[in-house]
Amino acid sequence: MLNGFNHLTLAVTDLSRSLDFYSRLLNFRPAATWDAGAYLTLGELWLCLSLGKGSDAQDSSTYTHYAFSIQQSDFHAFKQRLKNSGVTEWQPNRSEGDSFYFLDPDGHPLEAHVGSLSSRLAECRAKPYKGMQFFD
């Protein structure tokens, strides 16, 4: 049912520093930035930088997760199968497209996501996050 890697979200403690590191030193291309985050690309990779809630590494790492792509037609059956198997959901979906946020047996945070960076940016253009800027 999962059909590929979708995106990587990294919680960061200093957005400006991280944006500079990934764009200037690693050659990621900014797609959009806002007060609490940024979307960048490197080839087909979609990277989200998300400002952490706290100042220590333990607190800021809570939103780091790996997302996998899934078709809309498979999403609800996949989510139900995982829930029926006792998989732990670690947060509700609050963004564009259906997502199921769940933990693997070792507690690694994962996400099954319907959508792409293109669909996310289209939604953000309609309803931008605070301070959002787009790079075309």
Side-chain angles (χ1 to χ4, degrees):
M1 291 191 178
L2 296 178
N3 58 32
F5 187 74
N6 190 280
H7 67 275
L8 170 62
T9 296
L10 297 176
V12 300
T13 57
D14 183 323
L15 184 60
S16 295
R17 180 185 65 193
S18 294
L19 186 58
D20 179 66
F21 175 82
Y22 283 96
S23 62
R24 187 175 58 80
L25 296 177
L26 301 184
N27 293 322
F28 278 70
R29 187 176 64 80
T33 61
W34 63 98
D35 291 356
Y39 294 135
L40 301 99
T41 60
L42 182 68
E44 296 297 312
L45 174 63
W46 164 16
L47 175 66
C48 174
L49 302 177
S50 180
L51 191 59
K53 294 180 178 79
S55 60
D56 65 37
Q58 184 69 21
D59 185 31
S60 68
S61 67
T62 58
Y63 194 60
T64 294
H65 65 278
Y66 307 92
F68 301 96
S69 295
I70 189 166
Q71 295 295 318
Q72 183 68 61
S73 58
D74 294 331
F75 179 78
H76 294 290
F78 175 83
K79 180 178 176 179
Q80 195 58 51
R81 184 172 60 123
L82 268 61
K83 284 186 158 195
N84 290 346
S85 296
V87 170
T88 300
E89 183 174 3
W90 62 274
Q91 84 163 21
N93 183 30
R94 293 185 292 268
S95 61
E96 165 273 333
D98 280 333
S99 283
F100 180 56
Y101 296 86
F102 59 98
L103 299 176
D104 80 355
D106 290 302
H108 298 113
L110 306 174
E111 174 188 1
H113 179 66
V114 176
S116 64
L117 179 57
S118 295
S119 63
R120 176 67 52 85
L121 290 174
E123 179 72 13
C124 287
R125 286 181 194 282
K127 297 181 227 168
Y129 304 142
K130 185 178 180 193
M132 193 150 216
Q133 298 178 333
F134 297 94
F135 301 86
D136 294 323

